[in-house]
Amino acid sequence: MSSPSSPDTSSDNVRPSNFLRQIIEADLSQGTHAQARWGGSPGDAAHHAAGRPDPAKIRTRFPPEPNGYLHVGHAKSICLNFGLAADYGGVCHLRFDDTNPEKEDQEYVDAIIDAVHWLGFDWQANGTEHLYYASNYFDFMYRAAEHLIETGHAYVDEQTPEAMRANRGDFGKPGVDSPFRTRTPAENLARFREMKAGQLPDGAAVLRAKIDMASPNINLRDPAIYRIKHAEHHNTGNQWCIYPMYTFAHPIEDALEHITHSICTLEFEDQRPFYDWLMDRLVQGGLIAAPQPRQYEFARLNLTYVVTSKRKLKHLVDSATVAGWDDPRMPTIVGLRRRGYTPESIRLFCERIGVTKDYSWIDYSTLEGCLREDLENKAHRGMAVLDPVKLVLTNWDEVMGAGHLEACSLPALPHPPEGVEAPVRHFTLGREVWIEREDFEETPPKGYKRLFPGNKVRLKGGYVIECTGCDKDAEGRVTQVLATVVPDTKSGTPGADTVKVKAAITWVGVADGVPAEVRLYDRLFTDAQPDAGGKDFLALLNPDSLKVVTAYVEPSLAQAQPDQKFQFERFGYFVADRSDHAPSKPVFNRVTGLKDSWGK
Ligand code: ATP
Ligand code: MG
């Protein structure tokens, strides 16, 4: 079954299993969440208890921090969370993790919403928009903090940040208790309220969970859960001057939204004991609904030849190394989109790479392969000459008639879907055509089958021609290639193959070819792992990641709509640029070549 939020990415409709699917299937068969109630919106235990049985069998979430544009790594998380929810009769929430007052921006919120929609997913289910903002939960988070204080599970620590760091210990050394650790709940509550009231400056105190300063897991050595930050928040303004730490906020966000399976990347594995510790305390206190959410970790996507860190991507944008977040060389969703990647190809990629707990790198060519697979039977074919030189058919006027333009056509799709008539493209052949400079050699290297004096080739979809020579300028550079047309050899006519040729070359008529700007994009970095092992990714930029040429394209290509994808015969997949293309001034981006050519 596929639903609008579960786009079908596999031809046989069977998805490979993985450890997350097994966990979910076990929970469903054991009825772990069968008694859960849903209050219609996020809320505490009482709110949900007053609701109806949860219509969603599972709840997952995609929780981006709105501090940058999403990248291909996020796409993996999006496909995973929305995909699992759809496959198991559940719901996936889009949640903005906006608990950090700095660095967050409406521009990013809008871009994230766009990106998730574009990928083909939606957060609407059972008549509810499951789009949430973590900053709406500040009141509850504060209440949870007071609850921990009152039950002796949290204290206000006023050590200096240096002392706190030193007293945390390390892997070989247990931590040392803070002198503030023995404050009574009443003292802590009073002090915490002073923090909230703005009576202490930034950094003067933090609220810490009281767990175990000797724990082998350093994350359990009394982690900070609230800090003072006199900063304005884009949603709550100046209402707060204390803000929850991510590790405290995140489990609470999950619990209020009744998330069943909280899926995150492996870096958070060590945080899981704290996640469970906090959830246990809040369930015991009756603050959040049982059963509590559980966290599961998977390996993040590492893709070769790109960096996938919002901070590093932002640096590329801010330093004008690339033209913006949507530069077609960027691994952002907007960049991939502008480059010509389709949502189908990205979803296919995410499906294909699978979900594991093993750290690994995925080769960039896997992504390119998915695009080729998606476009193979969808993208219309067309001819473009990227490095043009003029070819003159010297006997044309005499044989075909002066000024004659021969109407030619070729199928636009070699394998149209069943029952669909193959679309056809039309163009003309006249006395002058554009050909690739590399398709002529005055002195051919061994095995060369294209144009050289005395050799015959076919102009694809047109006539057989015989090369007679060339004209050159003072520097010896070929200015035009000369040939004669062989009559009665037009493609698709009865006598067409009486003259045998070893090659057919691509071309565009001078009469109807349209000049086009073609942006030949390549990988942004020369190193497969540009930011691994402390490498300076900025020193590994590929100086040839963009080459712009003026090409000629056949008329059908010039009529492209922005964002329309094509296969330029022999060159690969191209897209009419979303922002800059207009039929009167065509601009195309190279998405990828026809086969993997990197490093060859
Ligand atoms: P970055 O390090 O690029 O800023 P992030 O993890 O800080 O990424 P968030 O906005 O917090 O960005 O991410 C939202 C979700 O996307 C998280 O659940 C995170 O686990 C997931 N995610 C981020 N990067 C990857 C990746 N490379 N592979 C898989 N999931 C990812
Ligand atoms: Mg993060």
Side-chain angles (χ1 to χ4, degrees):
M1 271 288 290
S2 75
S3 68
S5 54
S6 165
D8 182 20
T9 50
S10 59
S11 49
D12 56 4
N13 243 333
V14 175
R15 296 175 199 280
S17 190
N18 60 49
F19 73 98
L20 290 171
R21 289 181 174 275
Q22 286 162 15
I23 289 166
I24 292 171
E25 285 162 19
D27 279 335
L28 290 175
S29 74
Q30 291 157 18
T32 312
H33 304 281
Q35 307 306 318
R37 303 183 78 82
W38 169 249
S41 57
D44 62 10
H47 173 76
H48 286 304
R52 56 183 175 142
D54 195 344
K57 291 206 168 68
I58 62 166
R59 286 183 187 267
T60 56
R61 83 289 172 268
F62 174 64
E65 188 178 350
N67 62 351
Y69 281 67
L70 299 183
H71 53 63
V72 63
H74 295 111
K76 177 176 179 180
S77 177
I78 292 168
C79 290
L80 181 61
N81 281 293
F82 283 92
L84 289 171
D87 286 354
Y88 291 102
V91 170
C92 181
H93 299 185
L94 175 61
R95 177 203 305 151
F96 288 102
D97 213 322
D98 60 349
T99 52
N100 184 349
E102 292 150 344
K103 292 194 267 183
E104 289 157 7
D105 204 307
Q106 190 60 35
E107 176 195 354
Y108 301 134
V109 169
D110 296 340
I112 290 169
I113 289 178
D114 267 3
V116 180
H117 268 153
W118 179 76
L119 279 172
F121 298 104
D122 193 59
W123 40 88
Q124 189 154 191
N126 312 310
T128 308
E129 289 267 349
H130 296 286
L131 173 65
Y132 301 118
Y133 292 83
S135 57
N136 288 337
Y137 309 147
F138 281 152
D139 285 335
F140 182 89
M141 290 172 186
Y142 180 80
R143 198 177 123 206
E146 286 209 347
H147 172 78
L148 292 182
I149 294 172
E150 285 161 355
T151 51
H153 293 303
Y155 62 98
V156 174
D157 193 356
E158 294 176 55
Q159 295 182 95
T160 63
E162 298 72 42
M164 222 176 289
R165 209 170 304 122
N167 288 338
R168 195 179 300 134
D170 55 36
F171 287 108
K173 199 171 85 196
V176 175
D177 284 3
S178 161
F180 298 93
R181 201 173 194 266
T182 50
R183 280 176 153 171
T184 64
E187 283 173 310
N188 282 312
L189 200 55
R191 199 64 178 144
F192 188 50
R193 288 180 177 169
E194 284 167 15
M195 281 169 67
K196 178 181 180 244
Q199 292 168 18
L200 278 73
D202 286 7
V206 293
L207 184 69
R208 296 178 76 174
K210 190 171 179 178
I211 309 180
D212 179 6
M213 287 305 291
S215 173
N217 182 341
I218 292 179
N219 296 299
L220 292 180
R221 293 185 189 171
D222 294 6
I225 58 180
Y226 257 97
R227 64 191 160 139
I228 302 170
K229 196 146 217 154
H230 291 268
E232 186 168 310
H233 187 278
H234 72 102
N235 182 18
T236 55
N238 290 307
Q239 190 189 341
W240 297 93
C241 63
I242 55 172
Y243 290 93
M245 304 298 284
Y246 178 83
T247 48
F248 176 73
H250 197 86
I252 292 180
E253 295 160 19
D254 286 342
L256 294 175
E257 292 181 22
H258 227 316
I259 300 303
T260 56
H261 300 82
S262 176
I263 299 166
C264 63
T265 48
L266 279 173
E267 304 90 88
F268 293 95
E269 196 169 13
D270 290 347
Q271 293 288 354
R272 184 167 11 107
F274 176 71
Y275 188 107
D276 291 340
W277 178 92
L278 178 60
M279 293 291 95
D280 288 343
R281 297 287 154 311
L282 299 182
V283 169
Q284 280 158 20
L287 273 77
I288 63 165
Q292 67 211 57
R294 297 282 173 193
Q295 172 181 307
Y296 303 96
E297 308 87 19
F298 71 101
R300 60 183 283 120
L301 169 66
N302 292 306
L303 187 62
T304 61
Y305 294 103
V306 302
V307 294
T308 48
S309 142
K310 274 185 259 171
R311 185 179 55 80
K312 288 174 188 163
L313 294 172
K314 189 167 191 310
H315 182 86
L316 292 173
V317 173
D318 292 346
S319 61
T321 306
V322 295
W325 287 100
D326 71 343
D327 186 297
R329 293 165 294 184
M330 291 281 272
T332 50
I333 310 278
V334 281
L336 291 169
R337 178 180 185 182
R338 189 161 176 196
R339 177 72 170 265
Y341 280 89
T342 57
E344 291 83 355
S345 64
I346 296 173
R347 294 199 303 259
L348 178 62
F349 171 72
C350 292
E351 183 115 335
R352 189 153 292 167
I353 59 178
V355 184
T356 66
K357 279 178 117 38
D358 304 315
Y359 177 89
S360 70
W361 282 79
I362 302 291
D363 204 280
Y364 195 84
S365 61
T366 307
L367 179 60
E368 295 174 318
C370 292
L371 192 269
R372 288 187 204 107
E373 215 171 299
D374 180 38
L375 292 187
E376 164 69 24
N377 292 323
K378 279 194 206 162
H380 283 196
R381 280 22 175 200
M383 289 194 283
V385 174
L386 301 187
D387 182 15
V389 64
K390 195 178 275 182
L391 168 85
V392 180
L393 298 169
T394 53
N395 66 340
W396 182 267
D397 288 354
E398 186 188 320
V399 178
M400 305 294 294
H404 176 70
L405 289 176
E406 179 74 18
C408 303
S409 63
L410 278 171
L413 268 186
H415 308 289
E418 234 174 36
V420 175
E421 204 182 320
V424 177
R425 14 187 283 246
H426 300 277
F427 44 92
T428 64
L429 175 59
R431 184 171 181 270
E432 294 182 336
V433 302
W434 299 110
I435 61 166
E436 291 296 333
R437 188 166 280 279
E438 63 168 27
D439 283 353
F440 170 77
E441 291 283 354
E442 197 171 15
T443 322
K446 203 168 171 311
Y448 191 80
K449 296 190 182 70
R450 289 165 278 168
L451 288 168
F452 55 88
N455 196 37
K456 292 194 187 74
V457 301
R458 174 174 296 284
L459 293 177
K460 205 166 176 190
Y463 282 82
V464 171
I465 60 169
E466 176 169 352
C467 182
T468 54
C470 67
D471 291 336
K472 289 192 271 193
D473 64 14
E475 278 89 55
R477 186 174 155 88
V478 174
T479 51
Q480 54 184 16
V481 177
L482 306 171
T484 55
V485 61
V486 182
D488 304 323
T489 56
K490 188 179 175 192
S491 286
T493 62
D497 44 10
T498 50
V499 181
K500 298 283 179 221
V501 292
K502 292 210 174 72
I505 62 169
T506 52
W507 59 279
V508 168
V510 168
D512 63 358
V514 179
E517 177 177 328
V518 177
R519 300 171 180 169
L520 299 171
Y521 289 107
D522 211 329
R523 306 203 172 167
L524 189 52
F525 296 99
T526 52
D527 192 290
Q529 301 177 5
D531 58 348
K535 275 183 272 187
D536 174 12
F537 67 106
L538 294 173
L540 297 168
L541 287 162
N542 176 7
D544 300 318
S545 62
L546 171 58
K547 207 173 116 200
V548 180
V549 299
T550 301
Y552 288 97
V553 299
E554 63 170 76
S556 67
L557 296 180
Q559 284 150 23
Q561 293 305 308
D563 214 28
Q564 196 177 343
K565 284 92 181 164
F566 294 93
Q567 187 190 109
F568 286 8
E569 294 195 39
R570 96 193 244 181
F571 290 115
Y573 291 99
F574 289 73
V575 63
D577 189 80
R578 305 180 64 211
S579 306
D580 301 340
H581 171 86
S584 57
K585 190 187 161 292
V587 179
F588 291 94
N589 303 328
R590 176 166 67 195
V591 199
T592 180
L594 283 182
K595 50 180 194 281
D596 184 19
S597 59
W598 183 255
K600 285 189 191 135

